Amino acid sequence: VQLQASGGGLVQVGDSLRLSCAASGRTDRTLAMGWFRQAPDKERESVATIMWNSGYASYTDSVVGRFTISRDISKKTVDLQMYSLRPEDTAVYYCASRMLGRSAFESWGQGTQVTVSS
């Protein structure tokens, strides 16, 4: 699976932004997809993940109530709608996929920069 992320940009505190990730190739063996982020001098962290078939979503605590992950199986896309953005949300955001039978997210998109200015 190849992943292409888009939608990043420079926004102000409190603004909203929507990231989109398009998958190409076979997705019939996709278990889950997710959005991760890495800020300067910090480790990459999981932001939100979604089970591909059931749509069950989970979030890191800091984005609960502000971010929503969704997927469209027919379009092979996974989006991250971000509201009430904060400076600490500034990071490069990556989408990734995890296949059935695999224990980790192994396919990664190229990353898209989100900068929240105060």
Side-chain angles (χ1 to χ4, degrees):
V1 176
Q2 291 76 47
L3 303 173
Q4 180 75 35
S6 61
L10 173 63
V11 297
Q12 301 295 313
V13 170
D15 282 352
S16 300
L17 200 61
R18 189 178 185 90
L19 305 182
S20 185
C21 179
S24 59
R26 291 184 63 179
T27 57
D28 55 305
R29 291 190 56 79
T30 299
L31 174 65
M33 293 190 72
W35 284 95
F36 297 74
R37 67 187 179 188
Q38 187 166 20
D41 300 322
K42 291 188 177 180
E43 294 187 356
R44 185 173 61 196
E45 66 170 341
S46 173
V47 176
T49 60
I50 188 166
M51 302 304 288
W52 191 244
N53 287 327
S54 71
Y56 178 82
S58 60
Y59 301 88
T60 192
D61 288 347
S62 64
V63 307
V64 171
R66 299 190 299 123
F67 291 10
T68 301
I69 189 171
S70 61
R71 93 282 188 243
D72 187 320
I73 295 176
S74 63
K75 295 180 179 179
K76 299 182 182 180
T77 58
V78 58
D79 291 352
L80 184 69
Q81 178 66 54
M82 304 183 291
Y83 298 100
S84 302
L85 283 162
R86 305 167 180 170
E88 54 264 39
D89 295 319
T90 295
V92 178
Y93 284 70
Y94 300 89
C95 61
S97 68
R98 176 181 169 186
M99 296 292 107
L100 288 167
R102 309 297 290 181
S103 60
F105 287 82
E106 296 179 326
S107 296
W108 293 84
Q110 82 286 6
T112 185
Q113 177 71 47
V114 173
T115 303
V116 184
S117 173
S118 57

